Amino acid sequence: MEAVDAWERYARRRTPRREFNASGARTWLNWTQYPDHGPDESILGDVQCRSVLELGCGTGCNLAHLSTLGAICTGVDIAPSQLKKAVTRWGHLPRLTFHTAEATDYLSCTAGQFDVVLSVFGPVWFTDPAQLLPLIRKRLSPGGVLAFSHKPPTAGGVQPTGTLREARAVTRWDHTPREWSAVLTSFGFSDIRAEIISPPAGKDTGTLLVKAYT
Ligand SMILES: C[S@@+](CC[C@H](N)C(=O)[O-])C[C@H]1O[C@@H](n2cnc3c(N)ncnc32)[C@H](O)[C@@H]1O
């Protein structure tokens, strides 16, 4: 499958996340493309005992952090090699399960119900919202939250940069905060907050962060 190959190429070029962050923590959630920058998991609310699904979890580092906070975590990624890395690094943690699957396939087949669905530079950026958002909404509990991040769109559109070039076969659904608000509203989400997080000093690209409720 073209998408699997593209994401396997991407996975091969990624360097593993550091063992500790700048604060000395072994696990953390990073919404942005920059280390030690941006909001943490608190934007999701208290995750203890809540069921959390991450779409495009990669090597599982964000989800591992939520597991240490008491969440019941499921990670899904299309690239089989990512699952191997996730299990090798985080398989010892409790309440943490990883699956190799395409996001819409997983959501179509699972009977699971989730309090939180998140996607960090993941399939929400790479999948037609008309296909993905109804599937996510169906699997979210009443009052459940969807949160995702990706790079903001650039005027005129740009080709993927950096390591994302390896996944160039992949289409991106680039939307501004205002466009995401309209799209999410049209699929029944509410209390939508869509914003651009400023980049750290010396960088010029921020991060688009979106949160919406069922
Ligand atoms: C840019 S990486 C981000 C990985 C991780 N969320 C992080 O922040 O490090 C995108 C990830 O989404 C996965 N992915 C892309 N499209 C997908 C899809 N349709 N279904 C499931 N996973 C997908 C890729 O394999 C890759 O691991």
Side-chain angles (χ1 to χ4, degrees):
M1 235 173 89
E2 198 180 7
V4 176
D5 292 345
W7 286 112
E8 280 296 353
R9 282 197 299 279
Y10 168 85
R12 276 199 292 277
R13 288 180 63 93
R14 292 291 289 173
T15 46
R17 187 191 271 194
R18 300 163 296 165
E19 201 169 340
F20 298 98
N21 70 5
S23 319
R26 194 182 280 274
T27 65
W28 64 92
L29 197 158
N30 191 359
W31 296 101
T32 77
Q33 63 273 48
Y34 306 109
D36 308 303
H37 179 71
D40 61 17
E41 73 288 343
S42 58
I43 67 159
L44 300 172
D46 184 0
V47 294
Q48 187 167 26
C49 297
R50 295 179 86 203
S51 54
V52 175
L53 171 66
E54 184 174 4
L55 300 173
C57 62
T59 56
C61 297
N62 287 326
L63 212 50
H65 181 60
L66 298 181
S67 156
T68 67
L69 300 177
I72 303 145
C73 299
T74 304
V76 171
D77 200 284
I78 197 170
S81 68
Q82 298 282 49
L83 178 136
K84 276 193 208 140
K85 290 179 198 160
V87 170
T88 301
R89 184 159 178 181
W90 305 114
H92 62 285
L93 292 177
R95 305 173 297 274
L96 179 54
T97 313
F98 295 108
H99 300 281
T100 297
E102 194 283 320
T104 59
D105 289 344
Y106 180 82
L107 289 162
S108 303
C109 294
T110 183
Q113 205 69 23
F114 301 95
D115 301 310
V116 177
V117 174
L118 73 148
S119 176
V120 180
F121 287 61
V124 174
W125 198 18
F126 307 119
T127 311
D128 183 351
Q131 241 193 307
L132 186 62
L133 293 180
L135 291 171
I136 291 176
R137 194 154 182 279
K138 192 170 166 198
R139 302 273 41 115
L140 271 171
S141 323
V145 61
L146 165 66
F148 60 91
S149 60
H150 60 72
K151 279 191 192 166
T154 311
V158 285
Q159 289 303 307
T161 53
T163 47
L164 271 178
R165 266 196 219 113
E166 301 310 313
R168 62 159 65 86
V170 174
T171 304
R172 295 185 320 203
W173 268 261
D174 277 325
H175 288 305
T176 64
R178 186 188 290 253
E179 288 165 350
W180 268 124
S181 294
V183 171
L184 285 156
T185 301
S186 74
F187 287 103
F189 287 86
S190 58
D191 295 329
I192 299 154
R193 182 167 177 174
E195 61 182 323
I196 308 266
I197 301 165
S198 301
K203 302 286 182 184
D204 50 16
T205 306
T207 308
L208 190 150
L209 178 64
V210 181
K211 188 165 89 154
Y213 291 83
T214 50

